[in-house]
Amino acid sequence: MADVHDVRRLALGLDDVEEIDSDGFDFRVGGRGFVWSYPDRSSGRRVLRTDIAVLFVGDEAERQALLRGEPDLFFSTPSYEGLPFVLVRLEKVDVPRLTELVTDAWRMRVDG
C-alpha cells in the first residue's frame, strides 16, 4: 500500500521536478503536471484527495489499457474523459508499481 509520502518521495527523486504549493500534492516537470492529488468535486465543493493520484499516461490507448486491465486500481471520472490521465487508488498500489507509474508519467512529460 502506497501513500502521499511515497508519491512525494518518488516525484522529488526525479530530475527537474517542481512541487506546486497545494493542500495535497502536485508535481510538474517543465511546467507540465505528471502526478497530483485528485480534486474531488462530488460534494459540491473542491476537496483534494491525497488517497487518489491523477497520473499522466500519454495517450488514450494507454489510458484504456490501464482502466480495462486493472479496474480495481485505476479509474476515471467524467471530467477526465478523453484526456490522457488515470486516477489511481493509492491504498491499492504497492510502492514498486507506484514507482513505475510515477517514473513513466515523468518520462513521458520530459520526452513529450
Side-chain angles (χ1 to χ4, degrees):
M1 177 169 118
D3 63 21
V4 63
H5 303 293
D6 295 310
V7 174
R8 182 168 280 114
R9 178 181 53 78
L10 293 168
L12 291 175
L14 299 166
D15 291 339
D16 302 318
V17 170
E18 174 186 13
E19 183 172 11
I20 304 302
D21 188 33
S22 168
D23 289 335
F25 54 88
D26 186 345
F27 297 97
R28 300 177 189 199
V29 61
R32 300 178 345 175
F34 67 97
V35 62
W36 60 90
S37 45
Y38 171 55
D40 188 352
R41 293 176 180 87
S42 62
S43 67
R45 61 182 183 70
R46 185 175 182 262
V47 176
L48 290 176
R49 300 264 314 261
T50 58
D51 61 323
I52 299 172
V54 180
L55 283 165
F56 179 72
V57 295
D59 62 33
E60 183 66 16
E62 181 64 18
R63 179 180 182 276
Q64 289 301 320
L66 292 169
L67 292 171
R68 290 184 177 141
E70 298 175 83
D72 59 318
L73 181 58
F74 300 104
F75 70 103
S76 189
T77 63
S79 61
Y80 285 96
E81 286 304 315
L83 299 174
F85 305 106
V86 295
L87 286 75
V88 62
R89 297 173 178 93
L90 293 178
E91 76 272 2
K92 300 275 186 176
V93 66
D94 63 23
V95 174
R97 181 71 190 282
L98 182 64
T99 302
E100 174 189 333
L101 293 165
V102 169
T103 302
D104 286 351
W106 170 82
R107 185 175 292 119
M108 284 184 278
R109 284 300 205 190
V110 168
D111 293 343

